Amino acid sequence: MGRVKGHGLWKTVPVYFLPVIILICLIGCGKEFGPGETEQVLTPKDENLIVVGVSQVGSESMWRTANTESVQSVFTKENGYFLLFDNARQKQENQIKALRSFISQKVDYIVFSPIMENGWDTVLQEAKEADIPVIIMDRMVNVKDDSLYITRVGSDFDAEGRCAGEWLAEYLKKQERAEEPVNIVVLQGTEGSTSMIGRTEGFNAIAEQYENWNILEQVSADYTTAKGHEVMEGLLMQYDDIDVVVSQNDDMTFGALEAIEEAGLTSGIEGDIIMISFDAVKAALKLVQDGIINVDIECNPVLGEEVEKVISALENGEAVDKTYPIEEKVFTIENVGEFIDDRTY
Ligand code: AHR
C-alpha cells in the first residue's frame, strides 16, 4: 500500500516521503566542506543585519495588534534588520526577562513598550552598561536618569484626555445641556500605564472646570473587552443615572456597549448614554459612523516606521530628539466617512 518497491530499507519508506528524501540529497550534494572545515551557521552579524530586540506589552487590544504588525513589517531582513520579538503577555516581570535576554544576546538596539511607568531603573541601567541604546515606544517609563533611554516615540496621552473633555463640553453646549448635572463613569486602562495616567489626568483637568460634571467612578478595566463588559455591568447595577461613559480604549468600549445593551439601554447620538472612546480602530469607527459611539479620540499605533527612522539616524551618527510625538485626529459622525475606508486596522 503506497510503498516504494525494492529491497531493504526502501521497502518501509512511504511513497510520499520520496520528494523530501530527494530534496535532502540535493541539498547535501550542493555543499562541499574541505578538510577540517565545518558547516557555517549564518548569523545576523555575518549578513550585516542590525539586531533589534522588541519587547511588546501583550496582545490585549486591537490597537496592540496593529502596533505589533507595524513593528514586524518594518524590522525585516529586506530592510536590513534581524528582529527578536517578545510578547510579555501583560506582565512586567516577562518584559524585564525579555530585556535581560536581549542584553545577554548583545542586540544592537532595544525597543520596548513598557506595560507601566515604574520599575525600569535597574534593567535599563544594565542595558546602558552593556552599551545598548534603548528606544521607548508607545507608553513611557518613569526613571530617575533620562539617559537610560535614547528617545520615546508615542502619543501625547494627556492631550488625548483633554480632547475628550473639550469635545464633551462642546457637545453638551450644542445640546443645550451645558448647565445640567452630568454623571460620568470612566473605564480606565491598565493601572500605572502612561496611556491610562495621561488620559485620566487630561480628562480630569477639563472636568474640573465644570461644576456640574460629576465623575461617579473611575474603574480599571485593563484595556480588554471582557473587563470592559464586566466593569460596565457592575456600574450599571450600581447607578441608574449614567449620562456619559469615557472608555479609555475601543476594546473596553466594545465590552461596555454589550453591557449597556443587556441592561436595556442605548448609547450614542440618539441614545441614553454619551459614549466617548479612544484608539479609533476600524471596528470602532464603524460604530461612530452608525452613531453608537459619539466620539473616538485617535491613538496612532503605526509607530514602527518612526522607530526605524530613529535607528537609521543613530546608525548614521545623527542626533535624535528626546521625544517624537505622533499626529492624531478626533473622529465623529461628521468626519469619519472621510477616513474609514483607508483604515487598515
Ligand atoms: O498604550 C496605548 C494603549 O494600549 C491603547 O489605547 C490600548 O488600546 C492599548 O492596549
Side-chain angles (χ1 to χ4, degrees), residues 57 60-64 90 113 138-139 155 157 160 190 193-196 199 222-223 248-251 278-279 299:
V57 169
E60 73 284 2
S61 63
M62 289 183 178
W63 187 99
R64 189 64 56 198
Q90 295 262 70
S113 177
D138 168 30
R139 303 175 187 174
S155 307
F157 298 116
E160 290 177 357
T190 303
S193 68
T194 314
S195 40
M196 172 263 167
R199 288 168 188 166
D222 213 12
Y223 284 135
Q248 291 182 350
N249 87 343
D250 286 336
D251 297 76
F278 291 81
D279 282 359
C299 180

Side-chain angles (χ1 to χ4, degrees), residues 158-232:
D158 187 272
E160 290 177 357
R162 283 172 186 271
C163 249
E166 283 159 4
W167 175 87
L168 181 60
E170 266 311 296
Y171 186 76
L172 292 171
K173 212 195 284 176
K174 277 190 205 147
Q175 296 231 311
E176 298 178 357
R177 290 169 65 186
E179 307 302 321
E180 291 173 16
V182 180
N183 290 333
I184 303 169
V185 294
V186 182
L187 306 186
Q188 294 178 304
T190 303
E191 269 175 72
S193 68
T194 314
S195 40
M196 172 263 167
I197 296 168
R199 288 168 188 166
T200 302
E201 287 178 358
F203 183 80
N204 287 353
I206 304 296
E208 276 165 18
Q209 299 169 20
Y210 298 92
E211 276 181 13
N212 55 324
W213 291 19
N214 177 23
I215 299 186
L216 300 171
E217 297 263 356
Q218 307 192 96
V219 197
S220 175
D222 213 12
Y223 284 135
T224 68
T225 298
K227 279 270 184 184
H229 188 140
E230 185 188 308
V231 169
M232 192 68 224

